Amino acid sequence: MNDKLDFLARVPLFAELGRDELDTLGGMAVMRSFPRDVIIFQENDYADALYMIREGRVKVVLADEDGHEVIVSILQAGESFGELALIDSEVRCARVVTMTDVKVAMLAKADFQDWLQRNPSIALSLLQDVARRLRLANETIGSLAMLDVHGRVARVLLNNAASEDGQLVVRTPMTQKDIAAMVGASREMVNRVFKQLAEQGSISLRDGQIYIHQSLKP
């Protein structure tokens, strides 16, 4: 399997596809690179493609009229964005900005929809991925409405943690500024919450990683 097909096989949306299906899909994918701190697309842009991250990280951002931003999610290698473009004919509903140098594989909407008609089984995976993101969005909205800053920070950490040798670790690289933009608070407030959580033994910071302990609750 060549490099492009190996990458597509690691994207959860296409994980169940066979070699022939991946080969067809790979022939339609266009590789692109973006430098750090550029907008890949923004709100109200025409939605024309699905993007899959090969290298780097991006943030999905919503902004109000005054320019205040809330980070909806941070995505990294192996994850995809722009799925809604494959389902409806609406414009983009959020902005996607690179956090590092980024390499992506792009699938044009028309190509993917034509391929989907010939491979309807992938529709279930697509719907499951969209449903997962909708649940996360609902959690984010609920956290902003119902939790204080302490609870919102805890929720972000738990949502971005994975188990490693029985220990929960936040694997997605996030600065306190990033977390502040995800919870609708200042970086200084997030810094104070981090100090409180560390003093309580709910988290510990080692080697640039955040380790979560059982006492952490949203």
Side-chain angles (χ1 to χ4, degrees):
M1 187 175 289
N2 64 36
D3 182 59
K4 184 187 289 187
L5 298 192
D6 184 53
F7 161 70
L8 289 173
R10 295 196 303 271
V11 175
L13 187 59
F14 306 127
E16 302 302 318
L17 295 182
R19 170 61 188 262
D20 290 343
E21 294 168 311
L22 287 172
D23 189 54
T24 301
L25 202 61
M28 297 187 294
V30 176
M31 314 311 297
R32 286 200 60 187
S33 297
F34 298 90
R36 180 176 180 171
D37 295 328
V38 301
I39 297 172
I40 295 179
F41 60 71
Q42 55 189 351
E43 301 97 326
N44 299 317
D45 279 356
Y46 173 69
D48 60 353
L50 165 71
Y51 296 77
M52 295 155 290
I53 305 171
R54 297 191 72 180
E55 296 179 13
R57 300 194 311 279
V58 304
K59 56 183 177 182
V60 182
V61 177
L62 294 176
D64 63 20
E65 295 178 353
D66 298 321
H68 300 125
E69 294 185 347
V70 173
I71 297 177
V72 178
S73 59
I74 294 176
L75 306 175
Q76 52 192 339
E79 296 186 280
S80 57
F81 58 93
E83 290 92 339
L84 290 180
L86 308 180
I87 298 174
D88 60 26
S89 299
E90 299 297 319
V91 295
R92 300 291 189 188
C93 58
R95 181 183 310 165
V96 175
V97 183
T98 60
M99 302 178 72
T100 64
D101 291 346
V102 170
K103 293 182 179 180
V104 299
M106 293 174 52
L107 280 175
K109 179 178 180 177
D111 288 339
F112 185 84
Q113 288 185 336
D114 179 67
W115 178 83
L116 185 62
Q117 290 179 359
R118 292 180 276 111
N119 297 273
S121 61
I122 196 64
L124 179 59
S125 295
L126 180 60
L127 289 173
Q128 289 173 336
D129 189 64
V130 171
R132 176 183 63 84
R133 293 185 185 233
L134 180 59
R135 283 194 297 271
L136 288 175
N138 286 339
E139 282 187 8
T140 299
I141 294 169
S143 294
L144 289 172
M146 304 298 294
L147 299 176
D148 59 13
V149 176
H150 185 285
R152 299 200 296 267
V153 170
R155 173 66 67 190
V156 166
L157 295 178
L158 289 167
N159 282 348
N160 287 276
S163 180
E164 292 186 4
D165 299 323
Q167 171 72 65
L168 279 178
V169 183
V170 177
R171 297 299 300 163
T172 304
M174 293 184 294
T175 66
Q176 290 185 5
K177 182 179 179 181
D178 295 330
I179 294 173
M182 298 177 82
V183 303
S186 67
R187 190 197 63 78
E188 291 76 16
M189 176 62 75
V190 170
N191 181 262
R192 287 198 290 273
V193 171
F194 262 65
K195 289 180 179 178
Q196 292 170 359
L197 292 175
E199 290 171 357
Q200 295 166 3
S202 297
I203 66 171
S204 56
L205 308 176
R206 300 195 303 272
D207 301 324
Q209 292 186 314
I210 305 170
Y211 292 82
I212 296 176
H213 306 295
Q214 289 184 348
S215 58
L216 182 65
K217 304 293 181 183

